Amino acid sequence: MRIAIVGAGLGGLATALFLRQAGLDATVYEQAQNLREVGAGIVVSPNMVRALDRIGLASRLSESAVRLEAAWEFRRWEDGRVLFVQPMGEQCERLYGAHCYVAHRADLLNLLQRAWPREQLRLDHRCTALQQDNNGVELKFVQRDGAQTRVIADVVIGADGIHSTVQSAVARLDARFSGSCAFRCLVPADKAPAMSLRPVQTLWLGPGRHFVHYPVRAGQLVNVVAIVPAGDWRDESWTADGDIADLSAEFSGWDERVQQLIVSASNTKRWALYDRNPLDRWSAGRVTLLGDAAHAMLPFFAQGAAQALEDAYVLAACLRQADRASVPQALQRYEAIRRPRASQVQLMSRGREQRNHLPDGPEQAQRDAELAGGNPLRQSAWLYAHDLDADLERHAA
């Protein structure tokens, strides 16, 4: 079976590795000329750790990722008063069979890339068009020098992100602006306040905005994410440059440790947050979607990459039982299993910033009291404990 994966991000490479484990070969096509460092920090939640363990990579997370001792440490914006702390560690492993980590996205990508044969990765291949009939799919790729390549595949997997080319062959989707944007930056550990170096994911909540930080790259860097009103900013790109002065101004009057983190960064990226409704379908004939191409979501559940790896595992399991003639049926099975869950995560990721951004007053006080009395680790069981094998059994081929 000839399988073409468009996109060599976390979801695309994980899909290739799961397919190889299932005895299927694939070729991965990536428009970038090299797999350079992109993005910043990422939460590797227990359901994502279990997925990595299935392809033998979870044991290598500790090489660069930081295992969280606490997640969801909520602090008050003006003085850093702790509103709630959720211990992780052994409790997380006992509940969900895995720890929770934070990592630099590039380190995770490198982990997957090293596990995939270089000869089955085609860099500098930008997919510009695809057309299918009953027998296969023809893809057209263009390289930076203008050279064109045509590829015939029995299966095409679009793992090409939020601006997916493959998606246009399956469904049409219009993005909706959320009204917010995100700043991302990385601060060297030797310039960061000591409290930000702890293996803890800290969320500072304040009027109209919130601020998140945690250590990555074995503690060498502190990842910062700040969600603020977007103003006139509309650029949805991880590589768009922001301005440190703008970021600092957004958090004027906040605790001095927040300001210290901001001014210790040498640069920042800024991107507008767009919302998307769940797609009506992920597959058409021999073409299917995966990861952000299928279910781009706001970042407030920190589940984008985890859901992509869940997609990858289920898709490989469905294709393992297929032959060339039954590919469309296998892709429909994959969609039937994955689309309801991913859509649920998409929809529940909406509106979280409104709760985080309450102005000081009765609603904010009630929220803080609810945080103090909550148990988000157990409340996240629907995310972290989900059984993909049970899904496959319920939707038997």
Side-chain angles (χ1 to χ4, degrees):
M1 193 183 300
R2 300 162 296 180
I3 303 175
I5 300 172
V6 181
L10 296 175
L13 288 175
T15 302
L17 291 167
F18 278 116
L19 287 168
R20 184 178 66 179
Q21 190 177 68
L24 298 168
D25 285 329
T27 302
V28 183
Y29 299 89
E30 167 59 41
Q31 67 177 347
Q33 291 181 302
N34 52 70
L35 295 182
R36 59 187 176 86
E37 188 167 300
V38 65
I42 185 172
V43 176
V44 188
S45 55
N47 54 321
M48 185 172 174
V49 175
R50 292 200 307 274
L52 288 168
D53 191 49
R54 294 176 186 272
I55 45 176
L57 296 180
S59 62
R60 295 172 59 184
L61 278 171
S62 57
E63 295 173 8
S64 59
V66 175
R67 196 179 90 182
L68 288 177
E69 291 181 2
W72 307 299
E73 179 187 76
F74 293 101
R75 289 178 177 261
R76 180 164 166 77
W77 65 279
E78 61 183 348
D79 56 12
R81 176 166 55 90
V82 176
L83 304 174
F84 174 78
V85 179
Q86 173 66 69
M88 297 294 277
E90 301 307 318
Q91 184 180 357
C92 183
E93 185 175 37
R94 184 173 63 255
L95 286 172
Y96 304 124
H99 289 289
C100 186
Y101 295 82
V102 284
H104 195 298
R105 181 178 291 269
D107 294 335
L108 274 181
L109 187 63
N110 185 50
L111 187 66
L112 295 168
Q113 184 185 353
R114 283 183 290 164
W116 183 247
R118 179 63 182 81
E119 62 272 15
Q120 289 175 261
L121 175 62
R122 305 284 189 271
L123 298 175
D124 190 19
H125 277 66
R126 179 170 62 90
C127 182
T128 58
L130 62 161
Q131 186 172 0
Q132 67 170 311
D133 57 28
N134 291 334
N135 298 316
V137 187
E138 181 183 68
L139 299 99
K140 178 182 177 181
F141 296 96
V142 177
Q143 296 173 261
R144 296 288 178 89
D145 62 4
Q148 297 186 8
T149 304
R150 294 184 183 274
V151 172
I152 303 297
D154 299 301
V155 187
V156 173
I157 300 166
D160 48 342
I162 55 175
H163 302 298
S164 170
T165 297
V166 178
Q167 186 190 86
S168 62
V170 176
R172 179 176 176 82
L173 180 64
D174 294 322
R176 300 187 307 159
F177 183 50
S178 71
S180 298
C181 72
F183 286 90
R184 279 190 183 269
C185 47
L186 294 165
V187 178
D190 59 358
K191 296 182 178 179
M195 61 88 64
S196 67
L197 304 179
R198 301 166 302 140
V200 173
Q201 179 184 210
T202 300
L203 298 86
W204 301 71
L205 306 184
R209 50 198 37 79
H210 72 274
F211 189 90
V212 182
H213 59 77
Y214 48 79
V216 296
R217 193 154 283 171
Q220 298 175 30
L221 298 168
V222 176
N223 181 67
V224 171
V225 183
I227 309 296
V228 305
D232 295 331
W233 194 270
R234 296 293 185 274
D235 193 350
E236 188 185 30
S237 170
W238 279 1
T239 59
D241 290 325
D243 191 303
I244 293 293
D246 290 341
L247 174 56
S248 180
E250 291 285 351
F251 292 90
S252 176
W254 284 48
D255 187 287
E256 63 180 9
R257 290 166 290 186
V258 170
Q259 282 292 331
Q260 182 183 346
L261 265 176
I262 292 171
V263 300
S264 297
S266 58
N267 59 74
T268 184
K269 302 297 182 183
R270 184 178 183 181
W271 87 99
L273 298 177
Y274 283 80
D275 196 8
R276 290 162 173 83
N277 289 319
L279 290 174
D280 292 332
R281 63 176 187 173
W282 290 8
S283 305
R286 296 176 175 273
V287 180
T288 196
L289 304 173
L290 179 144
D292 282 350
H295 47 71
M297 57 188 66
L298 293 170
F300 305 122
F301 266 52
Q303 276 288 303
Q307 292 304 304
L309 263 69
E310 289 190 6
D311 293 345
Y313 175 74
V314 171
L315 178 55
C318 292
L319 287 174
R320 180 178 57 212
Q321 299 180 35
D323 56 22
R324 288 180 176 178
S326 63
V327 162
Q329 290 75 30
L331 298 186
Q332 289 298 322
R333 180 187 177 211
Y334 154 69
E335 178 181 333
I337 293 171
R338 289 295 306 150
R339 191 163 64 88
R341 173 164 162 81
S343 297
Q344 180 187 13
V345 181
Q346 265 185 298
L347 294 173
M348 293 192 69
S349 297
R350 292 177 171 175
R352 298 285 293 184
E353 75 276 21
Q354 296 173 12
R355 180 174 168 83
N356 289 345
H357 297 177
L358 292 173
D360 287 349
E363 284 188 275
Q364 164 263 320
Q366 181 180 350
R367 178 203 64 196
D368 293 352
E370 291 171 355
L371 287 173
N375 188 335
L377 184 59
R378 287 187 179 276
Q379 291 164 358
S380 296
W382 69 279
L383 279 175
Y384 297 163
H386 191 77
D387 188 340
L388 297 175
D389 289 319
D391 286 348
L392 287 160
E393 290 178 8
R394 281 193 295 271
H395 294 80

mmCIF file of all heavy atoms in Angstrom, residues 258-290:
data_model
loop_
_atom_site.group_PDB
_atom_site.id
_atom_site.type_symbol
_atom_site.label_atom_id
_atom_site.label_comp_id
_atom_site.label_asym_id
_atom_site.label_seq_id
_atom_site.Cartn_x
_atom_site.Cartn_y
_atom_site.Cartn_z
ATOM 1 N N VAL A 258 6.455 38.393 37.162
ATOM 2 C CA VAL A 258 5.931 38.329 35.796
ATOM 3 C C VAL A 258 6.704 39.290 34.905
ATOM 4 O O VAL A 258 7.158 38.941 33.807
ATOM 5 C CB VAL A 258 4.418 38.655 35.777
ATOM 6 C CG1 VAL A 258 3.914 38.835 34.350
ATOM 7 C CG2 VAL A 258 3.629 37.562 36.481
ATOM 8 N N GLN A 259 6.880 40.502 35.376
ATOM 9 C CA GLN A 259 7.631 41.482 34.599
ATOM 10 C C GLN A 259 9.084 41.065 34.400
ATOM 11 O O GLN A 259 9.655 41.264 33.319
ATOM 12 C CB GLN A 259 7.569 42.853 35.284
ATOM 13 C CG GLN A 259 6.260 43.587 35.065
ATOM 14 C CD GLN A 259 6.079 44.024 33.616
ATOM 15 O OE1 GLN A 259 7.033 44.274 32.895
ATOM 16 N NE2 GLN A 259 4.821 44.103 33.168
ATOM 17 N N GLN A 260 9.684 40.439 35.404
ATOM 18 C CA GLN A 260 11.077 39.990 35.268
ATOM 19 C C GLN A 260 11.205 38.939 34.177
ATOM 20 O O GLN A 260 12.150 38.964 33.379
ATOM 21 C CB GLN A 260 11.600 39.435 36.598
ATOM 22 C CG GLN A 260 13.070 39.002 36.539
ATOM 23 C CD GLN A 260 13.559 38.386 37.825
ATOM 24 O OE1 GLN A 260 12.911 38.498 38.873
ATOM 25 N NE2 GLN A 260 14.706 37.718 37.777
ATOM 26 N N LEU A 261 10.249 38.021 34.121
ATOM 27 C CA LEU A 261 10.274 37.006 33.066
ATOM 28 C C LEU A 261 10.163 37.653 31.692
ATOM 29 O O LEU A 261 10.879 37.290 30.761
ATOM 30 C CB LEU A 261 9.125 36.008 33.272
ATOM 31 C CG LEU A 261 9.429 34.725 34.028
ATOM 32 C CD1 LEU A 261 8.160 33.919 34.229
ATOM 33 C CD2 LEU A 261 10.469 33.892 33.315
ATOM 34 N N ILE A 262 9.283 38.620 31.584
ATOM 35 C CA ILE A 262 9.062 39.244 30.279
ATOM 36 C C ILE A 262 10.313 39.974 29.809
ATOM 37 O O ILE A 262 10.772 39.781 28.673
ATOM 38 C CB ILE A 262 7.862 40.208 30.357
ATOM 39 C CG1 ILE A 262 6.565 39.419 30.578
ATOM 40 C CG2 ILE A 262 7.768 41.047 29.072
ATOM 41 C CD1 ILE A 262 5.358 40.300 30.880
ATOM 42 N N VAL A 263 10.877 40.822 30.650
ATOM 43 C CA VAL A 263 12.002 41.652 30.204
ATOM 44 C C VAL A 263 13.283 40.844 30.065
ATOM 45 O O VAL A 263 14.256 41.318 29.455
ATOM 46 C CB VAL A 263 12.216 42.849 31.154
ATOM 47 C CG1 VAL A 263 10.971 43.712 31.203
ATOM 48 C CG2 VAL A 263 12.614 42.385 32.553
ATOM 49 N N SER A 264 13.309 39.604 30.581
ATOM 50 C CA SER A 264 14.491 38.749 30.439
ATOM 51 C C SER A 264 14.502 38.004 29.113
ATOM 52 O O SER A 264 15.505 37.362 28.779
ATOM 53 C CB SER A 264 14.563 37.749 31.595
ATOM 54 O OG SER A 264 14.723 38.417 32.831
ATOM 55 N N ALA A 265 13.397 38.070 28.367
ATOM 56 C CA ALA A 265 13.348 37.438 27.046
ATOM 57 C C ALA A 265 13.964 38.375 26.010
ATOM 58 O O ALA A 265 13.770 39.585 26.069
ATOM 59 C CB ALA A 265 11.905 37.116 26.667
ATOM 60 N N SER A 266 14.687 37.810 25.075
ATOM 61 C CA SER A 266 15.325 38.634 24.040
ATOM 62 C C SER A 266 14.398 38.887 22.863
ATOM 63 O O SER A 266 14.569 39.858 22.119
ATOM 64 C CB SER A 266 16.618 37.975 23.552
ATOM 65 O OG SER A 266 16.339 36.676 23.040
ATOM 66 N N ASN A 267 13.396 38.013 22.672
ATOM 67 C CA ASN A 267 12.435 38.219 21.586
ATOM 68 C C ASN A 267 11.158 37.447 21.908
ATOM 69 O O ASN A 267 11.136 36.598 22.813
ATOM 70 C CB ASN A 267 13.018 37.775 20.233
ATOM 71 C CG ASN A 267 13.416 36.314 20.239
ATOM 72 O OD1 ASN A 267 12.569 35.420 20.196
ATOM 73 N ND2 ASN A 267 14.716 36.041 20.303
ATOM 74 N N THR A 268 10.128 37.726 21.166
ATOM 75 C CA THR A 268 8.858 37.041 21.377
ATOM 76 C C THR A 268 8.157 36.838 20.043
ATOM 77 O O THR A 268 8.351 37.604 19.095
ATOM 78 C CB THR A 268 7.941 37.838 22.336
ATOM 79 O OG1 THR A 268 6.746 37.095 22.582
ATOM 80 C CG2 THR A 268 7.565 39.192 21.763
ATOM 81 N N LYS A 269 7.384 35.787 19.971
ATOM 82 C CA LYS A 269 6.497 35.544 18.833
ATOM 83 C C LYS A 269 5.076 35.877 19.267
ATOM 84 O O LYS A 269 4.729 35.796 20.445
ATOM 85 C CB LYS A 269 6.576 34.088 18.371
ATOM 86 C CG LYS A 269 7.978 33.635 17.975
ATOM 87 C CD LYS A 269 8.518 34.402 16.791
ATOM 88 C CE LYS A 269 9.897 33.914 16.387
ATOM 89 N NZ LYS A 269 10.447 34.732 15.269
ATOM 90 N N ARG A 270 4.265 36.242 18.295
ATOM 91 C CA ARG A 270 2.891 36.628 18.605
ATOM 92 C C ARG A 270 1.965 36.109 17.515
ATOM 93 O O ARG A 270 2.270 36.256 16.335
ATOM 94 C CB ARG A 270 2.792 38.155 18.687
ATOM 95 C CG ARG A 270 1.428 38.690 19.087
ATOM 96 C CD ARG A 270 1.469 40.207 19.181
ATOM 97 N NE ARG A 270 0.196 40.759 19.645
ATOM 98 C CZ ARG A 270 -0.043 42.056 19.796
ATOM 99 N NH1 ARG A 270 0.896 42.945 19.516
ATOM 100 N NH2 ARG A 270 -1.224 42.469 20.230
ATOM 101 N N TRP A 271 0.889 35.463 17.912
ATOM 102 C CA TRP A 271 -0.056 35.015 16.894
ATOM 103 C C TRP A 271 -1.490 35.146 17.376
ATOM 104 O O TRP A 271 -1.784 34.999 18.559
ATOM 105 C CB TRP A 271 0.260 33.596 16.430
ATOM 106 C CG TRP A 271 -0.316 32.458 17.181
ATOM 107 C CD1 TRP A 271 -1.416 31.732 16.855
ATOM 108 C CD2 TRP A 271 0.183 31.863 18.393
ATOM 109 N NE1 TRP A 271 -1.626 30.731 17.773
ATOM 110 C CE2 TRP A 271 -0.657 30.798 18.727
ATOM 111 C CE3 TRP A 271 1.273 32.143 19.221
ATOM 112 C CZ2 TRP A 271 -0.459 30.013 19.867
ATOM 113 C CZ3 TRP A 271 1.490 31.379 20.357
ATOM 114 C CH2 TRP A 271 0.621 30.329 20.649
ATOM 115 N N ALA A 272 -2.349 35.481 16.435
ATOM 116 C CA ALA A 272 -3.767 35.627 16.722
ATOM 117 C C ALA A 272 -4.400 34.254 16.881
ATOM 118 O O ALA A 272 -4.051 33.298 16.177
ATOM 119 C CB ALA A 272 -4.448 36.411 15.594
ATOM 120 N N LEU A 273 -5.331 34.150 17.808
ATOM 121 C CA LEU A 273 -6.005 32.886 18.073
ATOM 122 C C LEU A 273 -7.341 32.861 17.340
ATOM 123 O O LEU A 273 -8.210 33.711 17.577
ATOM 124 C CB LEU A 273 -6.236 32.710 19.575
ATOM 125 C CG LEU A 273 -4.977 32.659 20.439
ATOM 126 C CD1 LEU A 273 -5.362 32.555 21.919
ATOM 127 C CD2 LEU A 273 -4.087 31.492 20.046
ATOM 128 N N TYR A 274 -7.452 31.893 16.440
ATOM 129 C CA TYR A 274 -8.680 31.722 15.666
ATOM 130 C C TYR A 274 -9.389 30.442 16.104
ATOM 131 O O TYR A 274 -8.749 29.425 16.372
ATOM 132 C CB TYR A 274 -8.371 31.659 14.168
ATOM 133 C CG TYR A 274 -8.071 33.000 13.556
ATOM 134 C CD1 TYR A 274 -6.818 33.578 13.693
ATOM 135 C CD2 TYR A 274 -9.050 33.699 12.846
ATOM 136 C CE1 TYR A 274 -6.530 34.824 13.147
ATOM 137 C CE2 TYR A 274 -8.773 34.938 12.295
ATOM 138 C CZ TYR A 274 -7.519 35.492 12.442
ATOM 139 O OH TYR A 274 -7.243 36.730 11.902
ATOM 140 N N ASP A 275 -10.693 30.516 16.152
ATOM 141 C CA ASP A 275 -11.521 29.387 16.532
ATOM 142 C C ASP A 275 -12.068 28.727 15.268
ATOM 143 O O ASP A 275 -12.236 29.389 14.242
ATOM 144 C CB ASP A 275 -12.684 29.883 17.396
ATOM 145 C CG ASP A 275 -13.366 28.757 18.136
ATOM 146 O OD1 ASP A 275 -12.869 27.619 18.114
ATOM 147 O OD2 ASP A 275 -14.434 29.014 18.724
ATOM 148 N N ARG A 276 -12.332 27.438 15.347
ATOM 149 C CA ARG A 276 -12.883 26.702 14.212
ATOM 150 C C ARG A 276 -13.958 25.744 14.712
ATOM 151 O O ARG A 276 -13.776 25.095 15.738
ATOM 152 C CB ARG A 276 -11.788 25.915 13.479
ATOM 153 C CG ARG A 276 -10.812 26.817 12.729
ATOM 154 C CD ARG A 276 -9.529 26.093 12.384
ATOM 155 N NE ARG A 276 -8.670 26.893 11.520
ATOM 156 C CZ ARG A 276 -7.838 27.828 11.952
ATOM 157 N NH1 ARG A 276 -7.760 28.102 13.247
ATOM 158 N NH2 ARG A 276 -7.077 28.503 11.105
ATOM 159 N N ASN A 277 -15.029 25.669 13.984
ATOM 160 C CA ASN A 277 -16.048 24.679 14.309
ATOM 161 C C ASN A 277 -15.558 23.293 13.900
ATOM 162 O O ASN A 277 -14.778 23.153 12.946
ATOM 163 C CB ASN A 277 -17.352 24.990 13.564
ATOM 164 C CG ASN A 277 -18.044 26.221 14.112
ATOM 165 O OD1 ASN A 277 -18.090 26.424 15.321
ATOM 166 N ND2 ASN A 277 -18.566 27.044 13.219
ATOM 167 N N PRO A 278 -16.012 22.245 14.581
ATOM 168 C CA PRO A 278 -15.648 20.891 14.152
ATOM 169 C C PRO A 278 -16.069 20.647 12.706
ATOM 170 O O PRO A 278 -17.149 21.069 12.275
ATOM 171 C CB PRO A 278 -16.430 19.996 15.120
ATOM 172 C CG PRO A 278 -16.605 20.833 16.345
ATOM 173 C CD PRO A 278 -16.783 22.241 15.844
ATOM 174 N N LEU A 279 -15.234 19.958 11.960
ATOM 175 C CA LEU A 279 -15.546 19.612 10.582
ATOM 176 C C LEU A 279 -16.677 18.593 10.520
ATOM 177 O O LEU A 279 -16.804 17.733 11.398
ATOM 178 C CB LEU A 279 -14.318 19.022 9.898
ATOM 179 C CG LEU A 279 -13.155 19.975 9.601
ATOM 180 C CD1 LEU A 279 -11.968 19.191 9.063
ATOM 181 C CD2 LEU A 279 -13.561 21.046 8.610
ATOM 182 N N ASP A 280 -17.478 18.667 9.477
ATOM 183 C CA ASP A 280 -18.540 17.684 9.263
ATOM 184 C C ASP A 280 -17.972 16.338 8.842
ATOM 185 O O ASP A 280 -18.602 15.302 9.038
ATOM 186 C CB ASP A 280 -19.510 18.178 8.193
ATOM 187 C CG ASP A 280 -20.320 19.371 8.653
ATOM 188 O OD1 ASP A 280 -20.539 19.501 9.870
ATOM 189 O OD2 ASP A 280 -20.718 20.189 7.802
ATOM 190 N N ARG A 281 -16.800 16.348 8.228
ATOM 191 C CA ARG A 281 -16.153 15.088 7.858
ATOM 192 C C ARG A 281 -14.650 15.305 7.782
ATOM 193 O O ARG A 281 -14.179 16.414 7.562
ATOM 194 C CB ARG A 281 -16.678 14.565 6.524
ATOM 195 C CG ARG A 281 -16.397 15.461 5.318
ATOM 196 C CD ARG A 281 -16.869 14.790 4.046
ATOM 197 N NE ARG A 281 -16.464 15.531 2.855
ATOM 198 C CZ ARG A 281 -16.632 15.075 1.618
ATOM 199 N NH1 ARG A 281 -17.190 13.898 1.417
ATOM 200 N NH2 ARG A 281 -16.240 15.793 0.578
ATOM 201 N N TRP A 282 -13.909 14.222 7.992
ATOM 202 C CA TRP A 282 -12.444 14.247 7.915
ATOM 203 C C TRP A 282 -11.925 13.536 6.667
ATOM 204 O O TRP A 282 -10.759 13.713 6.317
ATOM 205 C CB TRP A 282 -11.839 13.550 9.126
ATOM 206 C CG TRP A 282 -11.982 14.254 10.419
ATOM 207 C CD1 TRP A 282 -12.717 15.371 10.707
ATOM 208 C CD2 TRP A 282 -11.355 13.874 11.652
ATOM 209 N NE1 TRP A 282 -12.586 15.709 12.023
ATOM 210 C CE2 TRP A 282 -11.769 14.809 12.628
ATOM 211 C CE3 TRP A 282 -10.503 12.828 12.022
ATOM 212 C CZ2 TRP A 282 -11.335 14.735 13.967
ATOM 213 C CZ3 TRP A 282 -10.071 12.746 13.338
ATOM 214 C CH2 TRP A 282 -10.486 13.692 14.302
ATOM 215 N N SER A 283 -12.760 12.710 6.048
ATOM 216 C CA SER A 283 -12.266 11.830 4.986
ATOM 217 C C SER A 283 -13.129 11.952 3.740
ATOM 218 O O SER A 283 -14.346 12.170 3.821
ATOM 219 C CB SER A 283 -12.260 10.369 5.456
ATOM 220 O OG SER A 283 -11.511 10.217 6.654
ATOM 221 N N ALA A 284 -12.473 11.777 2.603
ATOM 222 C CA ALA A 284 -13.165 11.704 1.319
ATOM 223 C C ALA A 284 -12.419 10.694 0.465
ATOM 224 O O ALA A 284 -11.276 10.934 0.062
ATOM 225 C CB ALA A 284 -13.201 13.060 0.628
ATOM 226 N N GLY A 285 -13.052 9.545 0.211
ATOM 227 C CA GLY A 285 -12.398 8.511 -0.578
ATOM 228 C C GLY A 285 -11.131 8.030 0.089
ATOM 229 O O GLY A 285 -11.164 7.480 1.193
ATOM 230 N N ARG A 286 -9.992 8.279 -0.555
ATOM 231 C CA ARG A 286 -8.697 7.795 -0.075
ATOM 232 C C ARG A 286 -7.891 8.882 0.651
ATOM 233 O O ARG A 286 -6.711 8.699 0.923
ATOM 234 C CB ARG A 286 -7.878 7.260 -1.253
ATOM 235 C CG ARG A 286 -8.514 6.050 -1.924
ATOM 236 C CD ARG A 286 -7.750 5.585 -3.146
ATOM 237 N NE ARG A 286 -8.340 4.356 -3.666
ATOM 238 C CZ ARG A 286 -8.013 3.136 -3.234
ATOM 239 N NH1 ARG A 286 -7.097 3.000 -2.292
ATOM 240 N NH2 ARG A 286 -8.602 2.069 -3.741
ATOM 241 N N VAL A 287 -8.529 9.988 0.944
ATOM 242 C CA VAL A 287 -7.860 11.116 1.591
ATOM 243 C C VAL A 287 -8.463 11.339 2.970
ATOM 244 O O VAL A 287 -9.691 11.345 3.124
ATOM 245 C CB VAL A 287 -8.010 12.404 0.745
ATOM 246 C CG1 VAL A 287 -7.321 13.573 1.423
ATOM 247 C CG2 VAL A 287 -7.463 12.183 -0.660
ATOM 248 N N THR A 288 -7.611 11.550 3.967
ATOM 249 C CA THR A 288 -8.110 11.834 5.307
ATOM 250 C C THR A 288 -7.232 12.886 5.968
ATOM 251 O O THR A 288 -6.141 13.206 5.491
ATOM 252 C CB THR A 288 -8.183 10.559 6.158
ATOM 253 O OG1 THR A 288 -9.018 10.798 7.303
ATOM 254 C CG2 THR A 288 -6.798 10.108 6.629
ATOM 255 N N LEU A 289 -7.732 13.421 7.081
ATOM 256 C CA LEU A 289 -7.051 14.485 7.808
ATOM 257 C C LEU A 289 -6.689 14.015 9.209
ATOM 258 O O LEU A 289 -7.303 13.093 9.752
ATOM 259 C CB LEU A 289 -7.952 15.718 7.901
ATOM 260 C CG LEU A 289 -8.473 16.282 6.590
ATOM 261 C CD1 LEU A 289 -9.487 17.391 6.848
ATOM 262 C CD2 LEU A 289 -7.323 16.791 5.723
ATOM 263 N N LEU A 290 -5.717 14.722 9.788
ATOM 264 C CA LEU A 290 -5.206 14.330 11.098
ATOM 265 C C LEU A 290 -4.649 15.567 11.796
ATOM 266 O O LEU A 290 -4.126 16.478 11.154
ATOM 267 C CB LEU A 290 -4.121 13.268 10.901
ATOM 268 C CG LEU A 290 -3.403 12.704 12.115
ATOM 269 C CD1 LEU A 290 -3.113 11.207 11.894
ATOM 270 C CD2 LEU A 290 -2.098 13.427 12.396
#
